[in-house]
Amino acid sequence: SRLYGHSVGRWEGDNTLVIDTTGLDERPWLDEVGHPRSSSARIQERYTRLDEYNLQLAVTVDDPKFYARSWTWTRANFYWVLGQEFEETFCIPSEGIAYRDSLARPSGIDAQ
């Protein structure tokens, strides 16, 4: 297994992109709250374009080792604003370390 697993995308109809991820390394937590995940976990992302301006995201976790049934981990709606500009962001070493310590560090290992 790989830390971020193996992802495969497919289209459902004309407006939904589905990405299934399996083969995750079970050491990192699923999120910052500390939800566990096993190497049997399957994470599914569904990006649905509702119309010209709206995109909907739903992320579902299915992990029979830790959870009795699948559950929706994230729901988000994105709206495109005409003329919207995004500032350029830079990944600096301290941000990489903060990410590692909050999400990527294997579960149960102190962040020191």
Side-chain angles (χ1 to χ4, degrees):
S1 69
R2 298 170 48 178
L3 190 62
Y4 296 113
H6 178 73
S7 299
V8 175
R10 69 180 189 285
W11 286 99
E12 279 187 4
D14 292 333
N15 63 342
T16 301
L17 175 63
V18 179
I19 301 171
D20 288 304
T21 301
T22 58
L24 295 157
D25 187 312
E26 65 185 17
R27 292 174 296 172
W29 294 324
L30 185 60
D31 55 19
E32 291 181 6
V33 179
H35 288 104
R37 70 172 186 219
S38 73
S39 58
S40 300
R42 180 176 142 246
I43 298 175
Q44 185 178 81
E45 302 165 70
R46 299 179 67 81
Y47 297 88
T48 302
R49 185 156 186 187
L50 301 174
D51 57 35
E52 183 178 2
Y53 302 104
N54 294 283
L55 181 70
Q56 188 175 63
L57 167 64
V59 181
T60 303
V61 176
D62 183 23
D63 189 345
K65 181 175 177 182
F66 286 109
Y67 307 106
R69 63 184 187 280
S70 60
W71 56 284
T72 301
W73 172 35
T74 301
R75 285 192 191 278
N77 293 300
F78 301 97
Y79 180 76
W80 179 74
V81 177
L82 185 63
Q84 183 176 10
E85 293 186 24
F86 296 95
E87 290 184 32
E88 185 174 4
T89 58
F90 298 96
C91 183
I92 57 175
S94 62
E95 290 175 344
I97 291 168
Y99 172 81
R100 179 203 67 196
D101 290 347
S102 66
L103 283 176
R105 184 175 293 281
S107 306
I109 296 176
D110 290 336
Q112 294 182 17

